[in-house]
Amino acid sequence: ESVVYAYLDPKNVPSINSPKRWQLAGPFPCRSESEFQKTEWGAQPVDAWPDSWVPDFGQYVSEKGPIPISMPVQAETEHGWCDLSRHFRGRQKTNHGTQPTQVSGYAVGTVRMPTSGRYRILVGFDDWMQLSVNGVELFERRHEEGFSETEVTCDLPEGDSQFVVKLSNDDNSQWRLWTFSFRIEE
C-alpha cells in the first residue's frame, strides 16, 4: 500500500454542489435486506427525531452497557463526502468493534438550486442505499462489488431541496467503509 498527499491552493479547488452539512440519525441494526427495508425514526423529518438514541446492539454496547448518542449528529461535508463511520463508531474500549458493521443510518441535507431544471445526481457508496428528494424516492440500490458511483437524473425546483440518504454498512472488502459521496450537476 502507499499514500500520496497533494496540497492544492484552495482558491483553485473546484466547487461542487452538495449539502454543506448533513444531519445524521442512527445507527440501526442492518444484517439483511429485510432489515434495510424497515423504516426507522430517521426517515421522519429531523424535528421529529428524538434528542438522543440508545443503540443497544453489537459494537454499541460497552462494558457499561448501551451509551446514548445525541441526535441529530451534525456532519460537515468534506468536498461532497459524508463519513458515517466517523460519527457512529462503536463504544467498546479496544479497536475491536469500533468500525461499524451490519448497520444502517440516515443523512439529511439541503441544497439550494439556483434555477429549476433537470439535474444529474451522482452518489458513490457501498452496500445498500436509498435516496429521496423532497419526500420522493429516487432510487434504492445495492452495490455488490464494493464502492462505486450511481447516477440518477431528476427535476429540481429553484430554491431549497432536501435529500435523505439511507445507507447500510456490511463487513466487506472495502475496509468497512461507511461513507458516501454526493454531488449535483446540471
Side-chain angles (χ1 to χ4, degrees):
E1 293 183 29
S2 63
V3 176
V4 176
Y5 290 94
Y7 297 91
L8 303 173
D9 184 348
K11 66 183 175 189
N12 293 328
V13 175
S15 64
I16 60 169
N17 201 359
S18 184
K20 299 200 182 329
R21 171 180 295 137
W22 293 93
Q23 297 182 83
L24 308 180
F28 302 100
C30 185
R31 295 175 297 276
S32 65
E33 184 174 3
S34 62
E35 280 193 311
F36 184 73
Q37 298 297 325
K38 289 182 182 178
T39 302
E40 295 91 357
W41 54 261
Q44 301 301 317
V46 174
D47 58 2
W49 292 0
D51 293 334
S52 68
W53 165 243
V54 181
D56 59 354
F57 65 94
Q59 65 265 30
Y60 297 100
V61 179
S62 72
E63 62 278 353
K64 297 178 185 176
I67 300 171
I69 301 173
S70 295
M71 290 292 136
V73 173
Q74 303 294 324
E76 298 294 321
T77 300
E78 298 175 51
H79 204 67
W81 289 86
C82 180
D83 186 355
L84 281 77
S85 61
R86 178 180 298 168
H87 301 283
F88 295 135
R89 289 206 180 274
R91 299 296 190 242
Q92 298 180 18
K93 283 178 124 176
T94 65
N95 192 37
H96 175 71
T98 59
Q99 286 291 359
T101 61
Q102 298 185 325
V103 292
S104 66
Y106 293 83
V108 178
T110 302
V111 177
R112 181 171 290 273
M113 305 310 298
T115 60
S116 61
R118 190 115 182 118
Y119 290 89
R120 293 181 337 140
I121 301 170
L122 297 108
V123 289
F125 63 97
D126 187 19
D127 298 328
W128 284 296
M129 177 186 264
Q130 291 174 347
L131 174 65
S132 64
V133 59
N134 299 327
V136 177
E137 184 174 303
L138 292 179
F139 75 81
E140 179 180 314
R141 296 205 178 120
R142 179 169 185 171
H143 289 159
E144 297 282 350
E145 302 298 322
F147 194 90
S148 63
E149 192 170 64
T150 292
E151 176 184 324
V152 63
T153 58
C154 71
D155 293 319
L156 296 174
E158 180 178 349
D160 289 345
S161 285
Q162 185 180 71
F163 294 87
V164 178
V165 170
K166 183 178 184 183
L167 182 67
S168 74
N169 192 40
D170 203 1
D171 193 5
N172 52 47
S173 62
Q174 300 291 324
W175 302 284
R176 300 178 179 172
L177 181 68
W178 193 20
T179 188
F180 65 92
S181 65
F182 182 98
R183 70 184 190 279
I184 300 173
E185 298 178 352
E186 288 190 58

